[in-house]
């Protein structure tokens, strides 16, 4: 530790912070071997320990960006650092009790995460197959004749709404000519997707149909194209009523040009 003028401290390699006010003399602390090989030189007027050994343990607990080119770190020292490391150790022991003894718990956790993602994909694919009637439990699509058009509608529990449009496209391919309406229910909320085959878009508009369904589940609006539209509402318990609303719209004599 040395007392120096701010200019001499900066010349020695210390960094001055913009916006800080310094007196005629400042303390300069060097960390290293005490010779020209010091690996850190700090200019500061605050209170410091007498030697690095007084700090004991030093553990960085958080690191993040403050502004462009500036990073901020948060750390613990001494007894606080020891207690933090002990809590992490106890967490690691708890994880090993769940995943089983392993020489590399991190690698094992990554492996389990990959297996979970694979199973989630397989489950999503199975739900899609069942939804459009291609799975082993539902070999045929149940198609109705509604308003003179082939209609297929289904409520699907737990299906990711992101997969609805793809299912509607597959449903349209299976009905050939007609209308497909699917409702995915997740956590009590309903997401509706309606598709109209290209040969019918001059007479039936998917946007108009999906808005009828959305209204039935307590939502408003819905948008898309004449051949594909999607919307949602908060009342998933009325998903079946949403399908009935689409069917009722198809039976109306007035059609959308």
């Amino acid at each position: 530790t040395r007392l120096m003028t701010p200019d001499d401290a900066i010349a020695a390699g210390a960094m001055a912070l913009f916006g800080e006010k310094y007196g005629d003399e400042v303390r300069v602390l060097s960390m290293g071997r005490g010779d020209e090989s010091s690996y850190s030189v700090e200019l500061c007027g605050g209170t410091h320990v007498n030697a690095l050994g007084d700090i004991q343990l030093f553990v960085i607990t958080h690191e993040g960006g403050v502004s462009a080119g500036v990073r901020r770190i948060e750390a613990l020292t001494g007894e606080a650092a020891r207690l933090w490391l002990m809590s992490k150790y106890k967490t690691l022991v708890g994880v090993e009790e769940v995943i089983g003894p392993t020489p590399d718990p991190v690698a094992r956790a990554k492996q389990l995460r990959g297996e979970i993602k694979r199973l989630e994909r397989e489950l999503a694919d199975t739900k899609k197959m069942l939804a459009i009637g291609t799975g082993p439990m539902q070999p045929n699509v149940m198609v109705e004749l509604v308003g003179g058009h082939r209609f297929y509608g289904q409520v699907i529990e737990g299906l990711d709404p992101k997969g609805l449009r793809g299912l509607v496209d597959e449903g349209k391919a299976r009905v050939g000519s007609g209308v497909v309406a699917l409702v995915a229910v997740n956590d009590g909320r309903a997401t509706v997707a309606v598709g109209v085959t290209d040969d019918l878009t001059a007479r039936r508009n998917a946007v108009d149909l999906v808005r009828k369904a959305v209204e039935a589940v307590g939502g408003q609006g819905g948008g898309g194209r004449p051949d594909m539209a999607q919307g949602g509402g908060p009342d998933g318990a009325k998903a079946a009523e949403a399908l009935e609303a689409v069917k009722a719209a198809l039976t109306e004599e007035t059609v959308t040009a």
Side-chain angles (χ1 to χ4, degrees):
T1 300
R2 295 171 290 172
L3 290 177
M4 306 174 66
T5 66
D7 290 340
D8 289 341
I10 294 172
M15 179 182 294
L17 300 178
F18 291 103
E20 294 289 341
K21 295 181 180 180
Y22 300 97
D24 294 335
E25 286 188 331
V26 292
R27 285 205 310 167
V28 179
L29 296 97
S30 300
M31 289 181 286
R33 294 190 294 273
D35 53 19
E36 297 299 328
S37 64
S38 296
Y39 55 80
S40 178
V41 180
E42 180 185 353
L43 181 155
C44 185
T47 302
H48 286 71
V49 296
N50 293 319
L52 289 177
D54 294 342
I55 297 174
Q56 300 179 13
L57 289 176
F58 180 86
V59 179
I60 295 175
T61 58
H62 179 74
E63 184 269 341
V66 175
S67 60
V70 179
R71 308 294 290 179
R72 176 186 176 88
I73 65 170
E74 297 177 7
L76 296 173
T77 63
E79 180 66 6
R82 188 188 71 82
L83 293 175
W84 186 86
L85 289 173
M86 286 299 299
S87 70
K88 290 297 182 181
Y89 173 74
K90 291 178 180 178
T91 299
L92 179 59
V93 171
V95 170
E96 289 186 330
E97 289 177 353
V98 174
I99 66 176
T102 172
D104 191 343
V106 174
R108 177 58 176 160
K110 289 180 178 179
Q111 179 186 7
L112 291 173
R113 184 179 181 182
E115 292 179 3
I116 290 172
K117 288 185 176 181
R118 177 182 60 80
L119 292 172
E120 287 176 343
R121 288 194 299 268
E122 291 179 358
L123 178 60
D125 291 341
T126 300
K127 288 181 177 179
K128 288 180 181 180
M129 288 192 298
L130 294 176
I132 61 172
T134 59
M137 296 177 61
Q138 196 175 352
N140 298 311
V141 176
M142 302 299 293
V143 179
E144 305 175 64
L145 190 63
V146 179
H149 307 298
R150 290 166 61 84
F151 174 80
Y152 174 61
Q154 187 175 351
V155 176
I156 311 165
E157 295 284 346
L159 178 69
D160 187 344
K162 295 179 181 179
L164 273 180
R165 288 178 177 262
L167 285 179
V168 170
D169 282 335
E170 294 182 36
K172 287 163 62 176
R174 292 178 67 84
V175 300
S177 174
V179 176
V180 175
L182 300 177
V183 185
V185 180
N186 292 278
D187 298 325
R189 182 175 178 83
T191 304
V192 187
V194 176
V196 177
T197 55
D198 292 340
D199 61 311
L200 298 180
T201 53
R203 301 173 56 200
R204 302 291 186 182
N205 191 312
V207 175
D208 294 338
L209 296 174
V210 85
R211 286 177 178 172
K212 296 287 187 180
V214 167
E215 184 178 352
V217 293
Q220 294 182 347
R225 308 183 307 270
D227 65 323
M228 176 73 72
Q230 186 168 322
D235 197 350
K238 295 183 178 180
E241 295 180 25
L243 296 181
E244 292 300 321
V246 176
K247 292 166 66 175
L250 290 174
T251 59
E252 294 178 356
E253 294 183 2
T254 302
V255 297
T256 302

